[in-house]
Amino acid sequence: LVGAVIGKGFIYFITLGAVISVLCLSANTGFADFPRLCRVMATEDYLPHAFAERGRRLVFTAGAMTVAVSAGALLIVFSGVTDRLIPLFAVGAFLAFTLSQLGMVVHWQHIGKKPVALMINLLFAIGTAAALVVMLASKFTESTWITLLLIPSAVLIFTGVKRHYESVATQIASSQPLEVSDLEPPLVIVPIKNWDSIARKALRFAMKLSPNVHAVHVQAGESPSDLEVNWDARVVQPALAAQKVAPKLIELPSPYRSLFGPLLGYIGGLENRQIAVIVPELVEHRPFHYWLHNQRATLLKAALLFRNDRRIVVVNVPWYLED
């Protein structure tokens, strides 16, 4: 419009720069206030608690990332045509106006004074609600149907998150003192692939926890493992020389080369007592090196935790590689 009126000269670019500046300030409002709104809802348990945590830049990172990803997704869905997003903006704005005016009506009713202010807020609530209904009806086939789908879905999600936190709080609440009876050392299980520094560290830590240690090796090959051949010299004799109970080596056959199945089956068949599973894990110095190794330790920890076996305690023993 500016180009048609005054041409594309100096004033044209000044005008575009001013418009862009105003739009940037307008967008900043959403990035500043939406995370704060999420934070308020998270403190009331209607959103995950991560939305209430400030990041290292002193902003609510989860909320800022959510609004950024959502805005990007809308631009992709609508092919970058912002004119098609204007009805969504209008519906959101007039819905917020209507709810805020109704909130003021309830406020004046609660106070019981200033009937003139109550009538003014009620009049504006009716006006913005009427405009909201008109926009929903006239632009329904374009994009406003998204709000009719999104808002009830969001309310259901918020109430579901609230119920989850209430259930968790009920289950973990306790006023009982510390129970100091039945403090028998656990049965310690150490999965071992082969004999190396990682296995040595894990076994040493296991022997600090309990005298009853089972080193479990899943035998997927046909020939005897190196562990079985050298176990006496590497583990039994040093333990006996130090007057300690030697860890017991358990060889589990796996003809189909399955690792977790035989191991989880063995743990599930043990006597009904506390079981500590030591998970040795290699820790790389550089994050991208993790792609060069399998993630059996992480998968094993997940498999153990999702078994929902209350006897099992998972203990991670890391081995840090040097640069």
Side-chain angles (χ1 to χ4, degrees):
L1 183 62
V2 173
V5 174
I6 62 175
K8 295 186 177 181
F10 179 74
I11 301 299
Y12 172 80
F13 291 102
I14 291 294
T15 305
L16 285 186
V19 171
I20 292 175
S21 300
V22 171
L23 291 177
C24 288
L25 291 174
S26 177
N28 184 67
T29 302
F31 278 92
D33 290 336
F34 181 82
R36 292 193 182 100
L37 174 62
C38 291
R39 183 253 180 190
V40 173
M41 296 184 66
T43 56
E44 297 292 335
D45 295 337
Y46 285 102
L47 277 176
H49 290 166
F51 285 91
E53 301 294 333
R54 290 185 183 272
R56 64 186 181 91
R57 297 179 182 274
L58 301 180
V59 298
F60 301 106
T61 306
M65 293 298 296
T66 299
V67 70
V69 172
S70 301
L74 284 174
L75 287 174
I76 293 173
V77 170
F78 288 90
S79 303
V81 181
T82 54
D83 289 344
R84 298 169 61 187
L85 292 171
I86 292 177
L88 284 179
F89 170 78
V91 168
F94 277 89
L95 178 60
F97 296 156
T98 303
L99 292 177
S100 63
Q101 294 295 331
L102 290 176
M104 290 303 299
V105 170
V106 174
H107 170 72
W108 295 127
Q109 285 182 331
H110 180 72
I111 292 179
K113 298 179 181 179
K114 299 185 177 180
V116 176
L118 186 149
M119 292 303 300
I120 292 175
N121 289 130
L122 180 61
L123 178 63
F124 275 100
I126 294 174
T128 53
L132 175 64
V133 172
V134 171
M135 282 184 291
L136 285 173
S138 61
K139 302 292 184 179
F140 181 80
T141 58
E142 295 183 13
S143 60
T144 57
W145 62 269
I146 297 178
T147 58
L148 297 180
L149 177 65
L150 182 61
I151 293 176
S153 300
V155 172
L156 291 177
I157 292 174
F158 298 153
T159 55
V161 172
K162 178 72 171 181
R163 285 196 301 268
H164 170 76
Y165 280 126
E166 290 177 346
S167 174
V168 171
T170 301
Q171 294 187 46
I172 67 176
S174 176
S175 59
Q176 299 178 359
L178 177 66
E179 185 178 352
V180 295
S181 61
D182 190 21
L183 296 180
E184 180 184 2
L187 171 62
V188 181
I189 305 297
V190 184
I192 295 180
K193 180 182 179 182
N194 46 43
W195 185 257
D196 51 23
S197 298
I198 305 175
R200 288 176 58 246
K201 181 179 181 181
L203 278 177
R204 176 177 171 81
F205 183 77
M207 294 176 67
K208 294 180 180 180
L209 296 180
S210 173
N212 194 358
V213 178
H214 290 186
V216 181
H217 175 254
V218 178
Q219 176 59 267
E222 297 179 357
S223 60
S225 65
D226 179 67
L227 275 173
E228 188 176 4
V229 173
N230 299 291
W231 188 257
D232 185 73
R234 291 173 173 170
V235 178
V236 177
Q237 294 181 14
L240 294 179
Q243 298 182 351
K244 301 292 183 180
V245 179
K248 182 180 180 182
L249 178 63
I250 306 296
E251 291 279 359
L252 299 178
S254 180
Y256 299 105
R257 295 170 296 280
S258 172
L259 175 63
F260 295 157
L263 179 60
L264 296 177
Y266 174 77
I267 295 174
L270 292 172
E271 56 184 304
N272 189 17
R273 60 179 295 185
Q274 188 79 54
I275 300 172
V277 181
I278 305 294
V279 181
E281 186 170 6
L282 184 69
V283 180
E284 287 284 357
H285 182 74
R286 292 182 172 84
F288 60 85
H289 283 170
Y290 280 98
W291 295 100
L292 304 177
H293 304 275
N294 60 55
Q295 304 300 321
R296 289 197 181 102
T298 302
L299 296 175
L300 177 59
K301 287 185 288 186
L304 290 168
L305 293 174
F306 286 113
R307 280 176 64 87
N308 199 25
D309 191 337
R310 299 172 186 264
R311 303 174 303 159
I312 297 177
V313 176
V314 180
V315 182
N316 194 52
V317 177
W319 176 270
Y320 296 94
L321 289 179
E322 296 181 358
D323 187 11

